[in-house]
């Protein structure tokens, strides 16, 4: 019987390189073992180059516990992989998540210039100086963190994400002038990014989060008529200070510190709003009319801790401004929370009805804060279908801290309490405990 013919190996290099690039980086390297024909094809790999120091350390929550020798070994391995793919003409994605000292900055420059020369499409740099279960916290020193090279050009870039990477407004403006296909831009914790004017017809998703020096004035303007998702906030002292220089008719999602001060004229078409506090310093000291949001379907309020009667009035006004609201999420972090909740506002007889509210999700709520909130919505939301309770601290969601919590005795006790409460006759048909142990 004749041996089967390996027709795949007879294909030309360009087709085989496309096949190789559809694999993971590790799988493409392993393909070199198939035959002599495939021995060097992995060098054509142009797919996803993802390097995360947390995945290579025995301490997954904190790579800072590495020794210098371990860190050098990791950096050298990354450098070797990138340089060995010398036959690849393009790179779909380069993702570097590392906590490296300034001694490695020249090497980082080389990696970024390499990505630029290979027309990288997605560039994700996360050089955090400190982490809390992968939650990024700001640094007070911009001199010790990495500065994005101003000379780099990325004409093929569609997505750019920078975390704890210093980039000036001038560099960012020049970068966007070259990136005519950029659709997503995310910049988090860049102290050097103080003021800027961004113009882009291609940009659809923009995140500017905790950038600049809170003690210095800023002038931030964007002209992005095709944007549909916008997330922005500075430090608590002055919110976002972001000026939209033209209408944004496609804007559907907004995440910010305060929607009233800077986005009042751009809320009518929103379908989803995320607020990182109920009121800002400006709104808390004066009477502010709530802008109408006739199309809003989902509202999330983070750091929704103990509220006063005045806060509750603003909360009711906010929900009244969104008559079609269907999903409401309230988050209460133990790290942010300072006082026990006063349940007096939730028992006020004069309250608004929420005719379209179907689902309420309470995240991070302890038992002492649970009952008045749930009873309120059961009373004033006639179409309410479910109240979902997740006792996990919202700051831990999506991080190793969530896994640790859900595998802990604390979670078992919390879950047991809420499950028992949900089985009570008063709540049995409406309350569900979510967030079972994640893999």
């Amino acid at each position: 019987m004749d041996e089967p013919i390996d027709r795949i190996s007879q294909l030309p290099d360009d087709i085989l390189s496309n096949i190789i690039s559809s694999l993971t980086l590790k799988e493409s390297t392993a393909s070199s073992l198939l035959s002599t024909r495939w021995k060097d094809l992995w060098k054509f790999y142009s797919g996803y180059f993802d390097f995360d120091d947390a995945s290579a350390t025995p301490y997954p929550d904190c790579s800072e516990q590495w020794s210098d020798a371990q860190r050098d070994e990791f950096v050298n391995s990354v450098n070797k992989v990138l340089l060995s793919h010398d036959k690849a003409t393009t790179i779909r994605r380069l993702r570097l998540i590392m906590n490296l000292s300034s001694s490695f900055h020249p090497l980082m420059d080389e990696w970024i210039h390499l990505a630029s020369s290979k027309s990288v499409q997605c560039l994700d740099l996360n050089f955090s100086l400190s982490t809390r279960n992968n939650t990024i916290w700001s640094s007070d020193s911009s001199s010790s963190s990495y500065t994005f090279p101003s000379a780099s050009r990325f004409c093929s870039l569609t997505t750019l994400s920078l975390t704890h990477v210093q980039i000036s407004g001038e560099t960012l403006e020049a970068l966007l002038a070259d990136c005519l296909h950029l659709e997503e831009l995310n910049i988090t914790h860049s102290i050097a990014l103080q003021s800027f004017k961004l113009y882009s017809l291609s940009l659809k998703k923009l995140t500017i989060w905790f950038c600049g020096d809170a003690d210095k004035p800023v002038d931030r303007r964007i002209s992005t008529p095709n944007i549909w998702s916008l997330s922005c906030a500075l430090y608590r002292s002055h919110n976002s200070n972001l000026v939209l220089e033209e209408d944004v008719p496609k804007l559907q999602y907004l995440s910010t510190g305060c929607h009233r001060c800077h986005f009042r004229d751009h809320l009518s078409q929103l379908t989803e709003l995320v607020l990182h506090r109920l009121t800002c310093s400006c709104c808390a000291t004066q009477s502010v009319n709530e802008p109408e949001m006739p199309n809003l379907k989902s509202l999330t309020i983070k750091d929704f801790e103990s509220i006063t009667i005045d806060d509750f009035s603003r909360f009711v006004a906010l929900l009244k401004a969104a008559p079609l609201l269907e999903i409401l999420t309230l988050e209460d972090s133990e790290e942010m929370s300072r006082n026990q909740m006063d349940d007096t506002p939730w028992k006020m007889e004069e309250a608004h009805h929420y005719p379209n509210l179907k689902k309420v999700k309470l995240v991070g709520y302890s038992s002492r804060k649970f009952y008045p909130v749930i009873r309120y919505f059961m009373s004033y939301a006639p179409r309410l279908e479910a109240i979902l309770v997740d006792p996990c601290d919202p700051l831990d969601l999506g991080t190793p801290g969530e896994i640790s919590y859900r595998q802990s005795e604390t979670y078992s006790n919390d879950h047991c309490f809420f499950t028992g409460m949900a089985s009570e006759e008063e709540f049995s048909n409406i309350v569900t405990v979510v967030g079972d142990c994640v893999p």
Side-chain angles (χ1 to χ4, degrees):
M1 184 174 180
D2 295 337
E3 292 185 5
I5 300 175
D6 183 4
R7 298 189 183 279
I8 293 181
S9 296
Q10 295 177 2
L11 295 172
D13 285 354
D14 57 343
I15 295 180
L16 289 178
S17 64
N18 286 334
I19 295 176
I20 287 289
S21 297
S22 66
L23 306 174
T24 65
L25 180 60
K26 186 176 182 180
E27 290 170 342
S28 69
T29 305
S31 69
S32 63
L33 302 176
L34 294 176
S35 68
T36 55
R37 174 73 173 92
W38 291 74
K39 181 179 179 181
D40 293 322
L41 286 176
W42 62 273
K43 296 181 180 180
F44 290 90
Y45 181 78
S46 60
Y48 296 158
F49 291 81
D50 292 346
F51 303 100
D52 185 348
D53 61 2
S55 64
T57 175
Y59 307 98
D61 286 350
C62 186
S63 61
E64 293 174 356
Q65 299 185 50
W66 275 10
S67 67
D68 291 341
Q70 288 173 317
R71 193 171 301 281
D72 288 344
E73 181 180 359
F74 174 75
V75 171
N76 289 335
S77 66
V78 172
N79 192 54
K80 182 178 180 180
V81 170
L82 290 176
L83 295 180
S84 63
H85 287 76
D86 53 337
K87 295 184 179 181
T89 58
T90 61
I91 292 179
R92 292 180 192 170
R93 180 175 73 190
L94 175 60
R95 181 170 175 259
L96 302 172
I97 302 180
M98 304 176 180
N99 185 350
L100 302 179
S101 65
S102 58
S103 62
F104 293 102
H105 289 183
L107 189 56
M108 294 179 188
D109 286 342
E110 294 181 15
W111 294 344
I112 293 175
H113 286 307
L114 176 65
S116 174
S117 68
K118 294 185 179 294
S119 302
V120 64
Q121 298 175 18
C122 176
L123 183 62
D124 184 354
L125 307 178
N126 186 334
F127 299 148
S128 306
L129 300 181
S130 58
T131 61
R132 175 191 181 270
N133 293 330
N134 287 353
T135 300
I136 307 304
W137 300 96
S138 62
S139 169
D140 294 331
S141 174
S142 61
S143 60
S144 60
S145 54
Y146 179 74
T147 299
F148 193 82
S150 58
S152 298
R153 300 191 64 181
F154 298 91
C155 299
S156 301
L157 205 60
T158 60
T159 301
L160 175 62
S161 297
L162 305 177
T163 301
H164 270 299
V165 176
Q166 302 310 317
I167 183 169
S168 66
E170 294 78 5
T171 299
L172 183 59
E173 292 170 9
L175 189 65
L176 260 66
D178 281 337
C179 299
L180 301 181
H181 305 289
L182 188 67
E183 296 185 356
E184 181 175 347
L185 174 63
N186 307 301
I187 304 179
T188 304
H189 291 297
S190 177
I191 297 177
L193 187 60
Q194 195 68 22
S195 297
F196 53 77
K197 296 181 180 180
L198 303 184
Y199 300 93
S200 174
L201 294 176
S202 62
L203 201 62
K204 297 179 180 179
K205 184 176 181 180
L206 174 64
T207 299
I208 305 289
W209 206 252
F210 292 108
C211 294
D213 188 336
D215 296 326
K216 297 179 181 179
V218 297
D219 181 15
R220 301 180 172 190
R221 302 176 182 274
I222 65 171
S223 177
T224 54
N226 294 310
I227 196 168
W228 63 265
S229 174
L230 177 60
S231 302
C232 58
L234 293 179
Y235 296 99
R236 290 179 180 268
S237 59
H238 51 118
N239 291 304
S240 66
N241 283 11
L242 184 68
V243 177
L244 301 179
E245 291 201 321
E246 60 181 291
D247 195 19
V248 283
K250 299 180 180 180
L251 187 65
Q252 296 290 309
Y253 174 91
L254 175 63
S255 175
T256 186
C258 180
H259 63 296
R260 306 176 189 90
C261 295
H262 306 287
F263 305 104
R264 175 175 290 273
D265 298 329
H266 307 281
L267 301 174
S268 60
Q269 74 274 27
L270 283 186
T271 59
E272 184 172 358
L273 175 63
V274 177
L275 297 177
H276 287 254
R277 64 186 65 85
L278 183 59
T279 59
C280 69
S281 56
C282 297
C283 300
T285 58
Q286 55 183 315
S287 176
V288 179
N289 294 328
E290 196 66 50
E292 294 295 322
M293 295 175 284
N295 293 300
L296 195 68
K297 297 295 183 65
S298 175
L299 171 64
T300 297
I301 305 177
K302 297 178 177 288
D303 196 9
F304 191 80
E305 47 182 63
S306 55
I307 64 173
T308 64
I309 292 180
D310 290 338
D311 293 332
F312 187 78
S313 297
R314 294 187 180 94
F315 172 70
V316 172
L318 175 61
L319 269 60
K320 287 176 63 177
L324 297 183
L325 187 68
E326 297 180 357
I327 302 173
L328 174 65
T329 302
L330 304 178
E331 297 184 358
D332 179 60
S333 170
E334 288 296 326
E335 185 154 319
M336 300 296 184
S337 188
R338 290 174 291 276
N339 304 304
Q340 292 193 6
M341 175 176 286
D342 178 8
D343 61 0
T344 302
W346 299 97
K347 297 179 179 179
M348 293 174 63
E349 294 184 1
E350 296 183 4
H352 180 68
H353 284 75
Y354 312 105
N356 291 298
L357 191 61
K358 298 179 180 179
K359 183 183 297 184
V360 175
K361 187 172 183 179
L362 306 175
V363 183
Y365 274 69
S366 62
S367 59
R368 71 179 187 276
K369 298 184 178 182
F370 184 81
Y371 285 94
V373 180
I374 189 173
R375 286 195 173 101
Y376 174 82
F377 288 111
M378 288 180 65
S379 300
Y380 297 106
R383 297 182 62 189
L384 191 65
E385 298 174 355
I387 294 181
L388 308 179
V389 182
D390 188 350
C392 182
D393 191 317
L395 291 179
D396 286 333
L397 292 176
T399 76
E402 178 183 4
I403 299 177
S404 299
Y405 167 70
R406 298 201 194 282
Q407 294 176 343
S408 67
E409 183 178 353
T410 301
Y411 173 73
S412 298
N413 295 334
D414 291 343
H415 191 275
C416 182
F417 168 81
F418 286 115
T419 302
M421 186 276 301
S423 65
E424 295 177 14
E425 182 177 356
E426 180 183 3
F427 307 119
S428 59
N429 295 324
I430 199 75
V431 177
T432 302
V433 184
V434 299
D436 286 333
C437 188
V438 295

